[in-house]
Amino acid sequence: MSDVRHVLVLPDRDAAEEASQALGERFGVDEEPRVVRDALAGEDDAEDAQWLVLLTDEQGRLDPAELDEFAGEWEGWREEP
């Protein structure tokens, strides 16, 4: 069993929260994804922040291309490890 993690980068908090909830419905994930704010270095303005959805995939069953397409529905992307 590997410890695979996926990071979806989304443009705002609403998109990150919606995507986090939709992951369970679309992909049947067991563990609730974590949503975190990632401010760019030296930036305090919320407009300059990105929101990350962190998803553990211990079984390695989630297709990275499908996750990237999924994140694109909210104008985001899947970060490559």
Side-chain angles (χ1 to χ4, degrees):
M1 190 183 305
S2 66
D3 186 25
V4 176
R5 293 179 190 252
H6 300 283
V7 177
L8 306 182
V9 181
L10 297 158
D12 58 54
R13 183 179 187 161
D14 290 338
E17 289 177 348
E18 287 176 24
S20 176
Q21 292 174 358
L23 277 165
E25 296 169 12
R26 172 98 47 101
F27 296 100
V29 296
D30 298 328
E31 185 178 322
E32 183 175 337
R34 288 186 41 213
V35 175
V36 296
R37 180 178 181 266
D38 182 34
L40 302 175
E43 299 292 338
D44 291 328
D45 187 354
E47 302 227 357
D48 292 326
Q50 296 175 328
W51 288 84
L52 308 177
V53 176
L54 308 175
L55 177 63
T56 301
D57 181 20
E58 293 178 354
Q59 302 296 325
R61 63 181 183 85
L62 300 175
D63 181 346
E66 287 181 26
L67 288 172
D68 192 39
E69 183 178 319
F70 173 81
E73 294 174 19
W74 285 275
E75 298 181 17
W77 65 90
R78 186 186 73 82
E79 188 73 25
E80 288 294 328

